[in-house]
Structures are given as C-alpha cells and as structure tokens.
Amino acid sequence: MEKKYDIIVFGGSGFTGEYVVREMLATSDIESKTWAIAGRSKEKLSTTLQSLAKELSVTDKQVDIIEANVNDQDSLEKMCSKCHCLINCVGPYFLWGRQVVEACIKNKTHYLDISGEPLFMEEVARDYNGDACEAGVVVVSACGFDSIPVDIGVRYCQKKFNGTLTALESYMNAQVGEKGFSVHFPTFQCVVNGFANQSKLKKFRKSLNLPRLPYVGPRLPSMTTLKYHKHFKKYYVPFAGSDRSVALRSQRSLCEKTGDNHTPAQVGVYMTFQSTALLVYLSLFGVVFIMLVSTRFGRYLLLKYPEVCTFGLVTRRGATREQIAQSSFSFNFLGAGEKQFSVNKVNLYHLFPGPQK
C-alpha cells in the first residue's frame, strides 16, 4: 500500500513534540517531504499548528492532523501505515514506547524517538531486532540531547585522533540564564524509574551474556563523588544519563561489524558546574533525591510532589520559552590513546559548542 506521508510526528502537541514541529515548519529542507502530526487530541494539535504558524509567519505549508492514542493499538497501526518514518515524542517510553515500536515494525515504518532510558532501549533492541530486520526497518532511540552529542562526539574524536583512541571523557557544560531552568515532569519520571530499576538493568545486561569489549590501555577510573578538574577549573560529577551506555553500544556494534579493524574506546561522561551556587543547589537536590528514590514510598513522594521534592527544579509545565532561549550547553572531550607506530601516549582535546541562541 502506498504511504501518504514521508514523516509523522507523534505527540506533536506535547512539550517536546511542539519543538520538533516548530523546527520542521521552520526548516526549508523539509519542504520536499510530505508530513503530518499526530496525537490524542485533534483540537490541541490544530491549536499547536496555528500558534506555531503565526509565530513563524508560515502560511503556505499544509500539515495534516492524525488522531492516535498509545492506549489504542488500532489507531497506532493506522497511523504507522500512513508514513515511511515515525518520530515518536510520546514519553515516558518505559510506559508508552513498546506499543509504538510494534506498530511501526508491523507496518514497515522506520521508528525514531528521543528516549534517554537505557532499560527501554536495550530491551527493545533484544526483543525487536529480528522482527525489525525482517521488516527492513530501523528502530533508533536517543535521537535528542540524549545521546547524540556524546555518541557522535566519540566517533568524531576517533576519526580525528592521530593514532588509536583508547579512552574518551566527555564533560558537559550547561549555561543557564537569569530566568533559571526547570525539568519537565515526564523526564523526571524517566530518571526516577531509571534509578529504581538499576538492579533490573544490571541483571538484564548480565542475561545477554555479551563478551567484554576488547579495550586497550589503562582503564578509566571509576568515580561516584564530586571532584575538581584542574584543566577546566570546575567541579564535576558523573552524568547520570544514557550517554555512556549509548556510546558503548555503538562501540560494540562497530566491533561486531568490523572485527579487529576497530578498537573500542572507553567512555566516561561527566557534568560540570558553572557556579558555586549551582553546585550547592544541585548537591542539596542530589542528597534529597538519593534518599527518596531508594525506597518505594520515597519514589511515590517524588512523583506525587515533584516541585516540592526538587525545590522547584521539576515542573509539570517544563522549561519556559524564556528559560530555553537563555540556556545553552557545550561539551569538552578529552581523549587519550596511542600514536601509530609509537609507544608514546598522545592526548586530544576538542570543544563542541552548543546551539546558537
């Protein structure tokens, strides 16, 4: 059956989906593609489109609206049968992701999402890889801030390194404006669920019985506490996101495809602090969060009263336009390895600036 659309954005009226739709409306490269937006409420989707079209002064683009609900599998399959590629912006994915993946594979539709949930991503890879290959479609998660900068950054540094890159450390620097910043509640749900399921994730990975990656050179030191970086003159902590697991999955995939032609890089992922005030604030938040997330009742409190438990960091409305406009990020990469035909160790330093304001 001929598919009407090249792309459908599912969840187009949601917090993140609205930004995806905005970028598609503003991008001239998309003009040759047919696309639509989908979600539970046609009314909300229509309101979102009208608001964005007015903001961007776009009046000549026709974008269709499709009604689909994660609780209605038939509606998901009808939606997926109409497009070549689906961008899924409906999270948390541990609650609403699998049924959308299934609908895409059944209808031979490529699937992309912005998940930063390692357990969801890795279970989907195990459970649907065979079906996706048979259907001839790709299923790709982490296509957003988690974890494109780090994943692509590792590959970029491997290609630019003068020799064999054996270890790479990523340091994320967040720049927050005077309006501050806030975290959207569904993202916080994923974080709470991730911490709650750490033991489940470890057991799952052990059950895969994958061989160890053939690392070369000294191992990166394990780190669980706050440290001071002499080079950056900033404090930093391990970044509790999906970046490291995604980057290492990519390294494993390259090893499997190329064999001895690829030396996997160890990956360390950290977050730095731009000010002492931010360090104190997040440290206080971290202590309270770890105390609460360790118990079932504590997790109930975190999800029931997110603004109170996080001192206002997490809100159900998410970051405002003003907050996002004043914020940015950058990544510093520090790499180490061996130069070809030499036993001398060599280092690499590279800065990836964040989006332009």
Side-chain angles (χ1 to χ4, degrees):
M1 182 177 69
E2 185 68 23
K3 296 192 175 185
K4 184 176 181 180
Y5 306 106
D6 293 306
I7 302 167
I8 290 178
V9 180
F10 183 40
S13 61
F15 178 79
T16 303
E18 182 177 329
Y19 282 96
V20 175
V21 174
R22 185 183 189 280
E23 289 302 313
M24 292 187 70
L25 285 171
T27 302
S28 59
D29 293 345
I30 205 71
E31 291 179 356
S32 62
K33 305 295 182 183
T34 57
W35 62 287
I37 62 174
R40 289 179 297 176
S41 170
K42 284 189 174 182
E43 183 179 351
K44 287 185 178 180
L45 291 166
S46 178
T47 300
T48 297
L49 271 179
Q50 292 174 12
S51 175
L52 291 174
K54 182 178 180 180
E55 175 190 341
L56 298 169
S57 300
V58 175
T59 58
D60 58 343
K61 293 187 179 181
Q62 180 63 40
V63 181
D64 291 343
I65 295 174
I66 299 169
E67 196 167 6
N69 193 318
V70 289
N71 292 316
D72 183 349
Q73 196 65 23
D74 286 341
S75 72
L76 294 179
E77 293 185 7
K78 288 179 182 178
M79 171 183 67
C80 294
S81 69
K82 297 177 180 179
C83 66
H84 293 285
C85 178
L86 184 83
I87 302 175
N88 183 16
C89 299
V90 179
Y93 295 93
F94 73 91
L95 292 176
W96 316 118
R98 292 178 73 94
Q99 53 265 55
V100 184
V101 173
E102 289 176 2
C104 280
I105 293 174
K106 184 175 181 179
N107 290 278
K108 297 185 177 181
T109 297
H110 300 302
Y111 171 94
L112 283 78
D113 70 34
I114 52 171
S115 170
E117 305 164 44
L119 184 58
F120 164 78
M121 292 187 283
E122 294 176 33
E123 284 185 335
V124 163
R126 177 197 63 184
D127 297 341
Y128 296 104
N129 182 64
D131 292 340
C133 290
E134 187 176 341
V137 302
V138 296
V139 176
V140 186
S141 290
C143 294
F145 185 77
D146 291 332
S147 295
I148 285 179
V150 170
D151 197 23
I152 291 182
V154 173
R155 290 296 294 137
Y156 175 88
C157 291
Q158 283 180 315
K159 292 179 179 180
K160 292 293 183 180
F161 195 77
N162 183 22
T164 301
L165 184 72
T166 59
L168 191 78
E169 294 176 297
S170 165
Y171 296 86
M172 183 185 75
N173 315 289
Q175 291 84 44
V176 179
E178 61 180 13
K179 294 290 186 179
F181 199 78
S182 55
V183 176
H184 196 211
F185 178 68
T187 300
F188 185 63
Q189 280 182 286
C190 297
V191 174
V192 172
N193 182 70
F195 273 88
N197 286 292
Q198 287 185 88
S199 60
K200 183 178 179 181
L201 178 59
K202 289 180 181 179
K203 290 179 181 177
F204 170 78
R205 287 173 172 169
K206 188 175 181 180
S207 71
L208 297 178
N209 198 29
L210 296 173
R212 290 180 176 273
L213 286 172
Y215 293 129
V216 176
R219 299 294 181 264
L220 287 175
S222 59
M223 175 186 160
T224 58
T225 59
L226 179 74
K227 287 189 176 181
Y228 183 76
H229 203 292
K230 294 181 180 179
H231 181 84
F232 299 125
K233 295 181 174 57
K234 291 181 180 180
Y235 286 97
Y236 67 102
V237 294
F239 181 62
S242 63
D243 291 348
R244 183 173 181 273
S245 64
V246 170
L248 291 180
R249 283 181 63 200
S250 295
Q251 293 298 298
R252 181 177 295 280
S253 178
L254 289 166
C255 285
E256 292 172 350
K257 290 180 179 179
T258 63
D260 295 337
N261 292 325
H262 178 74
T263 300
Q266 302 172 71
V267 179
V269 181
Y270 312 101
M271 178 179 180
T272 65
F273 298 96
Q274 68 176 14
S275 69
T276 304
L278 182 61
L279 170 61
V280 172
Y281 173 74
L282 291 179
S283 297
L284 179 61
F285 160 72
V287 170
V288 174
F289 178 80
I290 294 299
M291 289 174 59
L292 291 176
V293 81
S294 301
T295 66
R296 180 176 296 181
F297 180 66
R299 292 191 291 273
Y300 166 80
L301 292 176
L302 285 169
L303 298 177
K304 183 70 173 178
Y305 309 104
E307 293 194 35
V308 175
C309 294
T310 63
F311 310 103
L313 178 65
V314 176
T315 67
R316 295 187 182 275
R317 73 176 187 279
T320 66
R321 286 285 182 88
E322 292 80 9
Q323 288 176 325
I324 292 175
Q326 292 179 3
S327 302
S328 187
F329 62 87
S330 61
F331 286 84
N332 287 292
F333 287 92
L334 293 179
E338 300 176 353
K339 191 173 182 179
Q340 191 173 16
F341 308 121
S342 173
V343 296
N344 295 323
K345 303 295 181 182
V346 290
N347 298 314
L348 172 146
Y349 167 80
H350 194 84
L351 169 66
F352 286 94
Q356 300 297 317
K357 296 180 180 179

